[in-house]
């Protein structure tokens, strides 16, 4: 398992090995004896070995974590959502965000209380009222024009023609259905049943 982990480790993580031969070629730093240098090098080798072991353990734990998440049906997107949510919460409770929000609130209060803002608001309000009145007047004029057009001779003539055509069409339907169902138009024959089934 250890050799497989090391192979995986070398594929997934980048180790920065210390070249012992290269470090042995360097001169002894000032203030260190040869024995102290050997002791430090020995400690360095142990720490590097521990780091390698910890990387292997971390890689194994990450694989195990991934397997557990897969079995639970958790997707990377779920993790991303959770991380973003937590990050956003952390931002909102951070000092910088809180101070910025307070500052923006103060600026907003100053702006809304300023004479310039009040004058601009008044002007825009008046402009909105005038626009509303103008649109209302335009609507009244259009309604009046449609009324005038409806009372014109041309429209009356057109309306009469449409009425005449309608009465002919509707009238011919009424006459044809009356003759089918009237006893005088049917003679001795019984009325026909035209239902399809």
């Amino acid at each position: 398992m250890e050799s497989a982990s090391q192979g995986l480790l070398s594929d997934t993580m980048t180790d920065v090995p210390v070249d012992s031969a290269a470090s042995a070629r360097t001169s002894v730093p000032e203030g260190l004896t040869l024995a102290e240098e050997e002791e430090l090098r020995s400690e360095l080798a142990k720490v590097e070995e521990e780091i390698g072991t910890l990387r292997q353990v971390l890689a194994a734990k990450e694989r195990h974590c991934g397997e557990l998440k897969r079995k639970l049906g958790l997707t990377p997107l779920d993790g991303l959502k959770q991380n973003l949510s937590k990050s956003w919460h952390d931002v909102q409770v951070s000092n910088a965000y809180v101070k910025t929000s307070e500052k923006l609130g103060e600026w907003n209060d100053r702006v809304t209380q300023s004479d310039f803002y009040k004058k601009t608001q008044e002007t825009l309000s008046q402009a909105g009222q005038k626009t509303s009145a103008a649109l209302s007047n335009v609507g009244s004029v259009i309604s009046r024009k449609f009324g005038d057009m409806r009372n014109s001779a041309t429209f009356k003539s057109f309306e009469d023609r449409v009425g005449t055509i309608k009465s002919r069409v509707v009238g011919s339907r009424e006459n044809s259905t009356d003759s089918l169902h009237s006893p005088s138009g049917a003679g001795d024959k019984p009325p026909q049943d035209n239902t399809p089934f």
Side-chain angles (χ1 to χ4, degrees), residues 109-128:
D109 291 343
R110 285 185 198 158
V111 167
T112 56
Q113 300 305 318
S114 72
D115 289 337
F116 178 74
Y117 179 83
K118 289 177 181 178
K119 287 178 183 177
T120 304
Q121 188 180 22
E122 257 180 56
T123 303
L124 290 175
S125 176
Q126 290 172 356

Side-chain angles (χ1 to χ4, degrees), residues 136-150:
S136 176
N137 287 341
V138 168
S140 298
V141 168
I142 290 174
S143 294
R144 192 170 355 118
K145 289 293 181 184
F146 275 133
D148 292 347
M149 185 178 77
R150 192 159 191 233

